[in-house]
Amino acid sequence: MNTRPVALVTGSSRGIGVAIARKLAMDGFDLFVTGTAGNGPEDALADLRRHGGKALYLSGDISDLQVHDRWVNQIQEEAGRVDCLVNNAGMGAVVRGDFLDLRPENFDRVIAVNLRGTMFLTQAVLKLMLRQPREGGPRSIVNVTSVSASHASPERLDYCISKAGLAMWSQGLALRLAADGIGVFDVRPGIIRTDMTAGVSEKYDRLIADGLVPARRWGEGEDVANVVASLASGAFAFSTGSVIDVDGGLSIARL
């Protein structure tokens, strides 16, 4: 019987998600990764398998609740278990600008992906996770939110609202699942170099140079991945409900 732990990482076809999946594979996890493309990124999947485990691709849009049971059923059939769920899938604001001009359909899209879809996927995955015996190894849910869960950006307030909602979801989950031995964590990246930030890289280059980030550099996907993997290991299980900032000191209150 396969004794390798199993992780599901959403939104893992690029950026932070790829880095998280790679680090978990290096740490001995079998991987299920999700993305919206019909076919999986074969190069990325081959890279994950290079570390000795399985890596399978699940296609679909997390905002479509109908795909959740299909994903969980595939995990059940292929692995029979899931030990770690990393809720990484997300999107930025459809349009940045004055919140007074925000269109309802754009708000609905951001909430559907970043909050509603993530919440109900977690619900579906937990039905499988909770059937596993506690002595089978550490179990965890890691929600990748954002520094924007607590720091408002008026030009993309819909995004901030979605991440703040996910942060509260993390707190509620931690309380609900503590007695079941499932650790729940809220990982908050700051300014990370990804496709999502590529369009505003010059702006953030200037802000970082001016001291917005005390570490004086961009964050990288590997910075987030190292934190997620540590949480998935079970080493911080008694710290369930914790918020971990991955932002080079950006969130520290200063005078």
Side-chain angles (χ1 to χ4, degrees):
M1 180 178 293
N2 180 24
T3 58
R4 292 173 63 94
V6 177
L8 169 60
V9 184
T10 67
S12 42
S13 59
R14 59 182 183 176
I16 292 174
V18 166
I20 292 171
R22 183 182 299 115
K23 177 59 177 170
L24 290 174
M26 293 171 63
D27 286 0
F29 280 80
D30 284 344
L31 271 297
F32 289 86
V33 297
T34 78
T36 56
N39 296 315
E42 288 304 322
D43 289 346
L45 292 172
D47 179 59
L48 296 177
R49 294 173 186 136
R50 183 170 58 84
H51 300 287
K54 296 180 180 178
L56 298 175
Y57 179 74
L58 306 176
S59 66
D61 186 333
I62 194 172
S63 69
D64 179 3
L65 304 192
Q66 301 302 313
V67 309
H68 296 173
D69 285 341
R70 172 166 60 81
W71 287 352
V72 173
N73 289 338
Q74 286 182 254
I75 295 170
Q76 173 74 67
E77 292 172 6
E78 295 287 344
R81 57 190 282 181
V82 59
D83 302 280
C84 176
L85 168 61
V86 182
N87 284 314
N88 171 72
M91 63 175 291
V94 177
V95 177
R96 292 185 179 223
D98 191 336
F99 183 68
L100 297 179
D101 297 323
L102 177 63
R103 299 181 64 86
E105 59 268 27
N106 290 346
F107 176 83
D108 291 345
R109 176 61 182 159
V110 172
I111 294 297
V113 171
N114 292 359
L115 182 57
R116 184 173 183 266
T118 295
M119 288 175 57
F120 286 101
L121 174 63
T122 303
Q123 184 185 75
V125 170
L126 277 171
K127 292 175 182 178
L128 173 58
M129 189 180 286
L130 284 167
R131 291 198 296 268
Q132 297 167 211
R134 288 189 60 167
E135 61 273 15
R139 297 174 296 174
S140 60
I141 295 172
V142 181
N143 294 320
V144 180
T145 62
S146 170
V147 65
S148 296
S150 59
H151 290 55
S153 298
E155 74 280 2
R156 54 188 185 113
L157 200 53
D158 47 346
Y159 175 79
C160 298
I161 290 168
S162 72
K163 293 299 186 178
L166 191 58
M168 180 51 68
W169 171 246
S170 300
Q171 295 292 293
L173 278 179
L175 291 172
R176 169 62 178 82
L177 299 173
D180 295 296
I182 299 174
V184 181
F185 306 97
D186 177 354
V187 173
R188 298 186 181 180
I191 302 172
I192 309 295
R193 198 187 309 275
T194 67
D195 291 348
M196 189 180 293
T197 54
V200 289
S201 61
E202 291 186 6
K203 168 188 173 181
Y204 284 127
D205 282 341
R206 291 193 300 271
L207 291 172
I208 292 170
D210 290 340
L212 178 64
V213 178
R216 297 280 179 164
R217 70 169 176 89
W218 282 79
E220 304 292 345
E222 289 74 16
D223 292 313
V224 183
N226 289 335
V227 171
V228 172
S230 297
L231 298 172
S233 74
F236 296 92
F238 203 61
S239 297
T240 188
S242 294
V243 176
I244 300 93
D245 295 315
V246 189
D247 62 7
L250 173 63
S251 298
I252 299 172
R254 292 173 285 178
L255 286 175

